[in-house]
Amino acid sequence: MEDDAPVIYGLEFQARALTAQTAETDAIRFLVGTQSLKFDNQIHIIDFDDENNIINKNVLLHQAGEIWHIAASPADKAVLTSCYNKTSDSRVVSCAAVWRMPSNWDSESHESPDDSAHNPQTLELLCHLDDSAHRNAACVLWEPMGDGKRVISLADNHALLWDLQESSTQATVSSTATLEGKGQLKFTSGKWSPHHNCSQLATANDTTIRGWDLRTMSQIYCIENAHGQLVRDLDFNPNRQYYLASCGDDCKVKFWDVRNVQEPVKVLEEHSHWVWSVRYNHSHDQLVLTASSDSRLILSNMVSISSEPFGHLVDDEELSEGEDNHQEDKSKEPLKDSVVSTYEEHEDSVYAAEWSSADPWLFASLSYDGRLVINRVPRALKYRILL
Amino acid sequence: MDADGSVSDESGRRRRVHGMLKLYYGLNEEGKAPEQLQSLDPCDINGPHFDPELYLNKLRRECSLSELMDHETCMVKQIRSLDSDMQTLVYENYNKFISATDTIRKMKNDFKKMEDEMDCLSANMAAITDFSASISSTLQDQHAQITKLSGVHTLLRKLQFLFELPARLNKCLELQAYAQAVSSHRRARCVLQQYSHLPSFKGIQDDCNAIMEKLAQELRQKFRDGGTSAKDLSECVELMLQLDEPAEELCDKFLSHARSRLELDLQGLEAEIKPYPPPPAPKEAATRRSSSSTAAGSPSDNSPKTLSLPSPTPNTDILEFIDRGCNEFVSSLCLVITSYQELFINHAQTGELASKNIPQMANGKLQAFVDDLAARYFSLVERRIQEEKGVGDNSLLVRALDRFHRRLQAVAKLLPGSAVPNRGTEIVIRAATERVKQYLSALQSFYMDSLTDVRQALATPRLSVAGAGAHLGGPAAGRDAPSSLPELLSSLSASILNQIKSVLASVHLFTAKDITFSNKPYFKGEFCSQGVRENLVVNFIRFVCQSSRQFCESAGDKGGSTPPALLLLLSRLCLDFETSTISYILTLTDEQFLVQHQNPITPVTALCGEAREAAQKLLNHYVKVQGLIISQMLRKSVETRDWVNTIEPRNVRAVMKRVVEDTTSIDVQVGLLYEEGVRKAHSSDSSKRTFSVYSSSRQQPRYAASYTPSAPMDTNLLSNIHKLFSERIDIFSSVEFNKVSVMTGIIKISLKTFLECVRLRTFGRYGLQQIQVDCHYLQMYLWRFVSDENLVHFLLDEIVGSAAHRCLDPSPMEQSVIEVICERG
């Protein structure tokens, strides 16, 4: 059962922003945003052909500036948001905007993929997610599994809930929440919870994690000193509503039960430098992906705190097929939390990692030097989870 | 006649004479053998086979004429002498025969006379026999009468005794001569019993019984009074036993009597404990109050002493208490046991009045009695021992326990099957283990206290500049006092060692040779191996390691509460433990206590491993904490600045100087406790040379590439190729136990933070140049601290490279200008 070799794709520019095309459930597709101060920035649409292990890329221009964060709409494949830096008059301004990909973005790529002379198409701006009072967006979050009408942007110390209207060409702030306290507080990242009817949001600023109720825009919980240093990223367990993973500059990944925020449920300390991204697998929440600036990507199997702590629960139908011995196998091998695999294909800091929205066993990671690596969950583990 | 013959001739002649006599008397047999030997020679003139012809021929052949002549005269002479001999012999024998005949005739006459006298004697004897028979027949009647009379006499005397008995008993009662009364009554009892059907005897018996009843009453009364001496008491009991009092009842009474007295002793003992109730705080207060009241009553000197004592001390120390217990309770218990055994067991066994099971019954009662009282005594002793909490002087406790144990041996001797001595030993064992526990906690609190002291010593700012990072001339004394670190370490480890030694010495008292319980198997084996070695020494070492490890965890990720210097110190302490202290302590323990390794014990290597692990963890944590402190400075400096609109660099930023200073002082601090370690070889001038190489020859083309629009890939290619050949750097990784490794770790953490922060910013032209200046400055000073200077080069290279990438207008500064700025400081 040899695992497939990782597939590597190199971008010309440095890059930090990576997302799966959330609304796409058939093709394995990732979007990468580049960072370049001198050239027009691009959004690379990476299509992965699972059968042939081949990558197809399409490039769209993102001329507004270098991309720090990118997010795809969960409803419309063609819509995405980006947070970018704009330099004007020797000033650097952070902005956020909603974009639409041109409808025929993949029309000519097949004809002349290596044609360097061809002019890439440009993204179509739908609307800005800024107003005069709120700038410096750190990230934009789509409502999970929503209809693509609501987004939240985190700008400085504000969380803004936007309603997108008229096929996303108009955005209005419907409510805001403000972080108040001493000094210059700034949200670094956030996550919209898919649970509780999508009425909760978790944000990170400095070493603190906060939970917000979107209906009242008020704080519902606060984990002070969640990490020893800056919290870099958050993710909600897709299947267990109170479970939250966080990572930060103390090289740790922590798992929290937000009902009891005094102590983390579990702490992972596998990385040897800051952890920049943590992602639960969308279907099998024991699989957790972490990316770190030690140039490593680590896939962990956190069985004990997953929604399937005793392995895959066999349905009655399956049982009726006489798989008793198979059941015994399950009880024999104790399921332990463990690191499944450490991926060392990157040579620079890995700032982003994402699971594919189409294939739950496939994920992409992006390092600063522009290297995108697509990997699969090891087959042995995959079969153990499935069977 | 013999004078002229030779000696041989003389003897030969005699023999011949004898031979002839023998022949005559027929005695041949005995002389046969020698005769035959001689006689074979026909030339032997004395032999029986003598042949004169042969002899003559031989002589004629052998001898000369003169010799023959001599021989002839000699022969004639011999013949003559033989003839005269013969005559003499015949004469002598004849005389002897005549005298023998005379003697026999005389004897015949004497025997005749004797025979007549014997006849006369036998006749007389017959007459005497007749007389004697007649006398005895006449005396026969009188003898029978006398026998009968004497029988009547004794009977009468017995009767008289019986009739006088009541009066006599009464008299005895009056005189309190109980013993005599009882013995008299005993003598009469059976008779009275036998003849009680006769009215007169019945009366006597009734009288006697009444009197004896009274006597018994009196005895009982006396017994009950208790004031009597042990001897009286035992006499009393003896008499009552003889009076057929039920033995069981007597045992009970005797024991209850003894119990009341022993309980007095116990109460006395209890009273000594009582004034100090269990909760310690009021106890102390009570002590103080009582002492102050005594001080008020009599302004003596003991009140300040009492106050100054930290632990509550009852007015008697434990030795006194045990002494008192031994002298009062145990010795009177022994007395009771001996007298009881004397009375009820030994006596009963010999005495005729013993019913079969009195000894067993009495023994059982005694056992129960002793067990009960001893249990109460033990509970008191245990309570007292528990109060003994101060660990100051162990010898007192040991001596007290020894005495306690020793005195119980007396009970063991008296009552061989009793459980009392075993339970006493158990108490001693419990006390000993309790003591060991107390010592452990004392050691632990001592350790924690000394850590607090160290912490305080570290926290107090030293005014004297410790010669630390002074090579920049900057204010280096801001950090803790590094010069005292080795002293603190040595004093800490020395005081720990001393404390352990003194505790071991104290505990060793338990196994001293002159202590009676030290040869119990527990104290020989388990106490040494489990109690002292495992529970005390090993547990303490474990505690040290664990508490050290806790500093890494509990202190939180910010490292806030624990000063880094303490981490460093503890890590060195644990390392020292690993290398020498642990094995030293354990060897010391094993030697002192002669530990026999029968039970599984913790091996030295396991402990050393633990200590090493703790040391490693502490050192890693130290690196992390120090690295974070510097990282934090660098991060703030990058994040808070507007790098796009900055002015042209004229100086190295202050924060970089601060970083170098701090690194230097950390270097000094670490250097105080850890060895230098190995570093890759480099030339003394490496700072400048390598930097210029890195800056001018390699960096310049990279900049050029980065703003040449045609080849954006080159940048990545170059840096990727570079990375291909350099090893992956683990930032927060384990460090080795030496200075260079520690410093490398700290610098790695700091520079990596710098790099990541730079990548998050956008730079203007002067921003990039400032970073160039800063990096060069760091390059100048940091290379000396790390094991592999290429690491510093690589990271700084990355920083400048990243800054160039993030620069809106990347025009780097001239290398020479950078150098000038940096050298200006």
Side-chain angles (χ1 to χ4, degrees):
Chain A
M1 228 175 357
E2 191 109 332
D3 285 314
D4 290 325
V7 181
I8 300 176
Y9 170 73
L11 280 78
E12 295 87 344
F13 300 110
Q14 287 164 335
R16 282 172 182 269
L18 170 72
T19 184
Q21 196 175 28
T22 323
E24 176 62 74
T25 50
D26 297 328
I28 299 164
R29 188 170 296 152
F30 293 97
L31 306 178
V32 181
T34 63
Q35 280 197 320
S36 171
L37 290 164
K38 292 121 207 165
F39 309 104
D40 279 344
N41 282 287
Q42 303 163 339
I43 286 181
H44 288 238
I45 304 165
I46 312 289
D47 265 302
F48 181 63
D49 183 350
D50 200 18
E51 306 276 300
N52 304 314
N53 244 19
I54 295 173
I55 281 179
N56 290 314
K57 67 149 185 177
N58 286 287
V59 180
L60 298 174
L61 280 183
H62 179 279
Q63 282 156 331
E66 52 172 7
I67 302 167
W68 288 84
H69 185 262
I70 190 168
S73 159
D76 189 342
K77 286 187 218 180
V79 176
L80 61 103
T81 60
S82 70
C83 299
Y84 56 93
N85 271 7
K86 201 164 62 180
T87 47
S88 57
D89 311 333
S90 66
R91 266 173 53 88
V92 180
V93 188
S94 302
C95 308
V98 187
W99 307 89
R100 177 182 289 284
M101 295 191 262
S103 51
N104 57 343
W105 53 266
D106 55 347
S107 59
E108 38 185 304
S109 60
H110 295 297
E111 292 158 21
S112 54
D114 294 323
D115 185 6
S116 55
H118 86 276
N119 252 342
Q121 301 185 38
T122 311
L123 282 173
E124 176 193 343
L125 176 72
L126 291 180
C127 62
H128 287 286
L129 294 176
D130 304 287
D131 58 24
S132 51
H134 309 109
R135 290 197 167 269
N136 291 329
C139 63
V140 175
L141 312 167
W142 288 92
E143 183 180 23
M145 297 169 287
D147 52 4
K149 292 275 169 63
R150 297 212 294 171
V151 292
I152 290 172
S153 70
L154 299 175
D156 281 343
N157 58 340
H158 303 288
L160 311 171
L161 178 59
W162 301 82
D163 280 335
L164 301 180
Q165 287 146 356
E166 321 237 335
S167 17
S168 308
T169 51
Q170 264 196 347
T172 52
V173 175
S174 65
S175 56
T176 63
T178 307
L179 189 62
E180 273 154 10
K182 279 193 293 187
Q184 270 201 323
L185 297 174
K186 194 166 180 262
F187 286 122
T188 51
S189 97
K191 206 79 188 180
W192 196 328
S193 163
H195 305 290
H196 313 289
N197 240 347
C198 297
S199 64
Q200 286 188 6
L201 171 74
T203 61
N205 65 295
D206 199 18
T207 61
T208 311
I209 297 171
R210 286 164 206 274
W212 304 85
D213 188 336
L214 294 175
R215 293 164 296 192
T216 58
M217 284 316 240
S218 58
Q219 185 176 313
I220 46 178
Y221 57 83
C222 175
I223 310 174
E224 302 262 13
N225 283 324
H227 284 266
Q229 290 176 287
L230 203 65
V231 181
R232 290 279 171 192
D233 197 15
L234 300 167
D235 199 18
F236 280 98
N237 186 317
N239 299 325
R240 300 189 78 184
Q241 55 183 346
Y242 297 112
Y243 276 71
L244 174 68
S246 67
C247 59
D249 287 1
D250 55 0
C251 313
K252 289 174 186 163
V253 179
K254 296 189 180 181
F255 296 88
W256 303 89
D257 181 339
V258 298
R259 292 165 297 185
N260 175 19
V261 298
Q262 300 307 313
E263 283 291 316
V265 182
K266 201 97 194 174
V267 178
L268 278 183
E269 233 180 320
E270 301 293 339
H271 286 290
S272 70
H273 201 242
W274 306 349
V275 188
W276 286 76
S277 172
V278 58
R279 287 288 179 270
Y280 277 110
N281 186 297
H282 305 305
S283 331
H284 306 283
D285 55 283
Q286 58 266 52
L287 298 178
V288 176
L289 203 57
T290 51
S292 155
S293 41
D294 62 1
S295 316
R296 288 194 183 96
L297 186 71
I298 292 181
L299 177 64
S300 309
N301 188 15
M302 304 302 291
V303 187
S304 68
I305 51 169
S306 74
S307 58
E308 297 174 350
F310 307 109
H312 178 58
L313 296 175
V314 182
D315 294 338
D316 291 342
E317 293 171 39
E318 289 179 67
L319 266 184
S320 64
E321 288 165 29
E323 295 190 50
D324 297 333
N325 52 343
H326 153 86
Q327 191 77 336
E328 278 167 29
D329 287 347
K330 277 276 179 297
S331 56
K332 259 185 233 165
E333 40 186 299
L335 295 158
K336 276 192 198 147
D337 297 346
S338 60
V339 170
V340 177
S341 181
T342 304
Y343 300 95
E344 312 218 352
E345 280 86 24
H346 293 287
E347 269 147 17
D348 205 336
S349 305
V350 187
Y351 293 130
E354 284 287 351
W355 292 95
S356 162
S357 55
D359 182 349
W361 307 107
L362 194 125
F363 52 89
S365 54
L366 179 67
S367 57
Y368 189 61
D369 53 8
R371 181 180 293 186
L372 179 87
V373 179
I374 293 179
N375 262 303
R376 292 183 188 82
V377 175
R379 282 209 184 120
L381 176 66
K382 174 175 167 179
Y383 292 138
R384 208 166 74 201
I385 291 172
L386 282 180
L387 298 178
Chain B
M1 227 162 100
D2 286 347
D4 46 355
S6 69
V7 180
S8 64
D9 285 340
E10 177 78 0
S11 69
R13 186 182 55 91
R14 278 246 176 109
R15 193 166 290 132
R16 211 183 49 199
V17 173
H18 278 293
M20 277 189 282
L21 277 173
K22 272 180 196 155
L23 226 63
Y24 178 78
Y25 288 111
L27 291 171
N28 334 6
E29 306 104 71
E30 53 178 12
K32 221 169 219 170
E35 214 163 9
Q36 267 174 350
L37 271 176
Q38 292 167 339
S39 63
L40 285 174
D41 188 2
C43 297
D44 183 4
I45 203 162
N46 293 329
H49 302 280
F50 179 65
D51 189 344
E53 269 319 301
L54 271 175
Y55 185 68
L56 271 181
N57 287 342
K58 190 182 169 201
L59 281 181
R60 265 191 306 235
R61 244 185 288 134
E62 286 173 1
C63 303
S64 60
L65 185 63
S66 62
E67 277 174 339
L68 276 177
M69 290 296 285
D70 286 348
H71 206 82
E72 201 247 321
T73 52
C74 178
M75 284 283 259
V76 172
K77 233 186 254 176
Q78 277 181 358
I79 289 166
R80 255 185 228 138
S81 78
L82 274 175
D83 283 343
S84 71
D85 277 355
M86 200 104 84
Q87 278 172 8
T88 319
L89 270 175
V90 169
Y91 180 73
E92 277 176 4
N93 283 342
Y94 180 77
N95 278 353
K96 280 176 184 164
F97 184 73
I98 296 297
S99 74
T101 317
D102 287 351
T103 312
I104 289 168
R105 195 176 297 137
K106 220 182 204 169
M107 273 168 69
K108 244 182 191 168
N109 291 338
D110 288 352
F111 271 111
K112 182 80 186 160
K113 215 196 251 160
M114 245 161 75
E115 207 171 290
D116 292 347
E117 282 173 12
M118 282 307 288
D119 284 346
C120 178
L121 187 65
S122 66
N124 285 348
M125 281 308 290
I128 288 167
T129 316
D130 284 352
F131 271 118
S132 149
S134 70
I135 287 168
S136 66
S137 67
T138 49
L139 284 178
Q140 188 71 45
D141 288 347
Q142 278 178 340
H143 181 76
Q145 269 181 339
I146 288 170
T147 317
K148 201 175 169 188
L149 274 175
S150 81
V152 171
H153 180 245
T154 45
L155 188 66
L156 279 174
R157 279 190 56 172
K158 276 186 187 164
L159 279 175
Q160 189 192 11
F161 176 77
L162 277 183
F163 288 126
E164 281 176 3
L165 187 61
R168 188 195 288 245
L169 287 178
N170 267 332
K171 202 170 179 188
C172 287
L173 204 59
E174 268 170 45
L175 294 172
Q176 296 198 327
Y178 301 116
Q180 206 187 339
V182 172
S183 68
S184 307
H185 180 248
R186 262 179 57 206
R187 267 161 44 197
R189 197 160 48 182
C190 322
V191 183
L192 288 172
Q193 194 66 37
Q194 197 179 345
Y195 295 101
S196 58
H197 56 279
L198 298 174
S200 54
F201 284 106
K202 179 81 179 162
I204 294 171
Q205 193 188 17
D206 289 349
D207 283 356
C208 285
N209 282 351
I211 294 167
M212 289 319 286
E213 195 60 38
K214 209 164 136 199
L215 185 126
Q217 283 294 335
E218 241 172 84
L219 279 176
R220 255 178 240 143
Q221 184 61 41
K222 193 173 158 194
F223 187 64
R224 212 172 292 133
D225 280 350
T228 47
S229 70
K231 199 181 162 210
D232 283 353
L233 204 64
S234 58
E235 197 182 277
C236 210
V237 171
E238 199 177 328
L239 291 177
M240 283 165 82
L241 271 178
Q242 287 176 356
L243 283 177
D244 278 350
E245 288 280 321
E248 201 171 335
E249 207 175 294
L250 275 181
C251 292
D252 283 346
K253 273 187 188 157
F254 184 85
L255 290 180
S256 75
H257 181 229
R259 179 187 297 267
S260 68
R261 273 189 304 170
L262 288 172
E263 260 173 25
L264 271 180
D265 289 343
L266 284 178
Q267 273 161 17
L269 287 177
E270 200 168 0
E272 286 196 15
I273 309 177
K274 264 207 174 133
Y276 306 98
K283 200 193 294 180
E284 205 163 2
T287 327
R288 264 195 208 128
R289 225 177 294 127
S290 68
S291 64
S292 62
S293 69
T294 54
S298 57
S300 59
D301 57 341
N302 64 348
S303 66
K305 201 171 79 189
T306 326
L307 277 172
S308 67
L309 280 173
S311 64
T313 47
N315 41 8
T316 55
D317 61 33
I318 182 146
L319 190 58
E320 260 178 75
F321 176 85
I322 295 285
D323 249 356
R324 198 174 149 186
C326 290
N327 290 341
E328 290 177 1
F329 176 79
V330 179
S331 55
S332 33
L333 184 68
C334 287
L335 263 180
V336 167
I337 293 172
T338 25
S339 54
Y340 183 91
Q341 281 178 330
E342 192 59 39
L343 286 178
F344 294 104
I345 298 169
N346 299 347
H347 201 80
Q349 269 163 355
T350 54
E352 70 284 355
L353 71 165
S355 63
K356 315 95 230 162
N357 47 7
I358 279 189
Q360 285 93 321
M361 182 274 302
N363 229 336
K365 276 192 191 302
L366 181 65
Q367 293 281 12
F369 169 79
V370 171
D371 284 354
D372 180 34
L373 279 173
R376 289 184 50 194
Y377 173 59
F378 288 156
S379 76
L380 282 177
V381 169
E382 272 198 289
R383 263 171 64 191
R384 183 64 186 83
I385 289 173
Q386 272 162 18
E387 273 178 33
E388 208 59 21
K389 289 231 163 56
V391 287
D393 187 12
N394 197 36
S395 65
L396 210 60
L397 177 75
V398 173
R399 265 163 57 208
L401 287 176
D402 178 39
R403 201 156 300 177
F404 170 72
H405 190 261
R406 200 187 295 268
R407 292 302 285 262
L408 282 181
Q409 300 311 308
V411 180
K413 265 181 213 141
L414 289 172
L415 270 181
S418 170
V420 169
N422 284 341
R423 294 196 21 225
T425 314
E426 273 165 32
I427 286 183
V428 172
I429 287 172
R430 266 205 293 280
T433 45
E434 190 58 38
R435 206 22 61 137
V436 168
K437 259 187 225 158
Q438 284 170 4
Y439 273 119
L440 177 63
S441 65
L443 269 182
Q444 288 175 349
S445 64
F446 170 80
Y447 175 69
M448 292 320 279
D449 286 351
S450 34
L451 277 196
T452 320
D453 289 350
V454 169
R455 202 186 264 251
Q456 267 167 3
L458 288 174
T460 42
R462 304 274 164 132
L463 290 174
S464 59
V465 175
H471 87 282
L472 284 173
R479 305 180 75 83
D480 26 42
S483 68
S484 61
L485 268 181
E487 291 151 37
L488 280 174
L489 175 70
S490 62
S491 76
L492 179 64
S493 61
S495 66
I496 288 176
L497 209 56
N498 276 340
Q499 199 70 12
I500 289 180
K501 275 186 192 161
S502 73
V503 163
L504 279 182
S506 301
V507 174
H508 195 242
L509 289 174
F510 278 108
T511 61
K513 280 223 169 57
D514 54 337
I515 302 294
T516 45
F517 52 75
S518 66
N519 55 8
K520 293 270 168 198
Y522 171 80
F523 280 97
K524 276 193 167 160
E526 204 189 339
F527 179 75
C528 293
S529 67
Q530 287 302 308
V532 175
R533 192 185 190 276
E534 294 293 296
N535 288 346
L536 188 67
V537 179
V538 172
N539 271 359
F540 176 66
I541 293 168
R542 286 233 163 93
F543 172 79
V544 170
C545 295
Q546 264 159 20
S547 70
S548 306
R549 276 208 296 270
Q550 270 164 11
F551 279 110
C552 304
E553 283 145 22
S554 67
D557 296 303
K558 296 220 164 190
S561 57
T562 320
L566 183 64
L567 291 175
L568 190 67
L569 189 97
L570 283 178
S571 114
R572 183 70 222 193
L573 183 73
C574 286
L575 193 66
D576 287 347
F577 262 60
E578 190 251 328
T579 50
S580 58
T581 316
I582 288 179
S583 59
Y584 173 70
I585 293 174
L586 285 184
T587 319
L588 192 74
T589 314
D590 287 357
E591 274 171 8
Q592 271 194 15
F593 289 87
L594 301 169
V595 175
Q596 293 140 4
H597 300 305
Q598 53 219 21
N599 304 328
I601 51 158
T602 323
V604 178
T605 47
L607 281 179
C608 287
E610 249 175 81
R612 192 178 179 85
E613 198 184 308
Q616 182 75 60
K617 211 162 175 183
L618 283 162
L619 196 62
N620 286 350
H621 194 61
Y622 174 77
V623 168
K624 202 164 167 181
V625 168
Q626 293 286 35
L628 286 184
I629 292 172
I630 294 179
S631 299
Q632 215 64 30
M633 277 193 293
L634 286 168
R635 173 191 286 211
K636 281 271 142 50
S637 79
V638 176
E639 279 177 358
T640 52
R641 198 175 170 114
D642 181 1
W643 290 99
V644 178
N645 301 310
T646 185
I647 52 158
E648 189 171 3
R650 293 178 197 286
N651 284 311
V652 177
R653 283 186 302 150
V655 68
M656 294 301 157
K657 290 182 180 166
R658 182 76 196 280
V659 166
V660 171
E661 275 164 24
D662 280 7
T663 315
T664 315
S665 67
I666 292 172
D667 182 61
V668 171
Q669 195 177 54
V670 177
L672 287 171
L673 293 182
Y674 280 99
E675 295 76 30
E676 179 73 25
V678 282
R679 59 174 88 217
K680 291 192 183 164
H682 52 74
S683 68
S684 57
D685 193 33
S686 59
S687 70
K688 268 185 188 162
R689 192 167 49 81
T690 34
F691 187 70
S692 56
V693 167
Y694 121 90
S695 196
S696 55
S697 68
R698 208 168 60 209
Q699 199 63 33
Q700 292 295 51
R702 283 184 65 184
Y703 291 166
S706 60
Y707 54 82
T708 315
S710 60
M713 277 298 284
D714 286 1
T715 324
N716 291 329
L717 203 69
L718 264 173
S719 76
N720 283 348
I721 287 170
H722 176 71
K723 278 173 193 162
L724 269 180
F725 293 104
S726 63
E727 275 178 35
R728 186 186 290 273
I729 302 164
D730 275 341
I731 305 302
F732 289 97
S733 56
S734 228
V735 293
E736 287 159 33
F737 293 107
N738 59 54
K739 190 178 86 176
V740 167
S741 178
V742 169
M743 294 313 293
T744 309
I746 293 171
I747 288 171
K748 261 194 315 194
I749 293 172
S750 313
L751 292 185
K752 179 75 177 178
T753 306
F754 195 12
L755 172 66
E756 291 296 338
C757 291
V758 162
R759 282 182 176 183
L760 288 172
R761 304 287 298 176
T762 309
F763 294 86
R765 174 202 283 187
Y766 297 128
L768 169 65
Q769 291 182 355
Q770 182 70 60
I771 295 289
Q772 272 185 289
V773 170
D774 290 350
C775 285
H776 184 76
Y777 182 80
L778 290 179
Q779 167 71 24
M780 279 168 64
Y781 290 106
L782 291 186
W783 65 267
R784 70 186 82 216
F785 300 120
V786 298
S787 60
D788 181 7
E789 57 188 290
N790 287 327
L791 187 85
V792 175
H793 300 164
F794 171 68
L795 281 168
L796 290 172
D797 201 359
E798 280 282 301
I799 294 169
V800 178
S802 290
H805 270 294
R806 305 287 313 145
C807 183
L808 296 169
D809 176 19
S811 50
M813 195 178 238
E814 277 295 312
Q815 184 64 27
S816 54
V817 182
I818 295 174
E819 278 166 21
V820 167
I821 292 175
C822 286
E823 258 144 50
R824 210 168 52 203

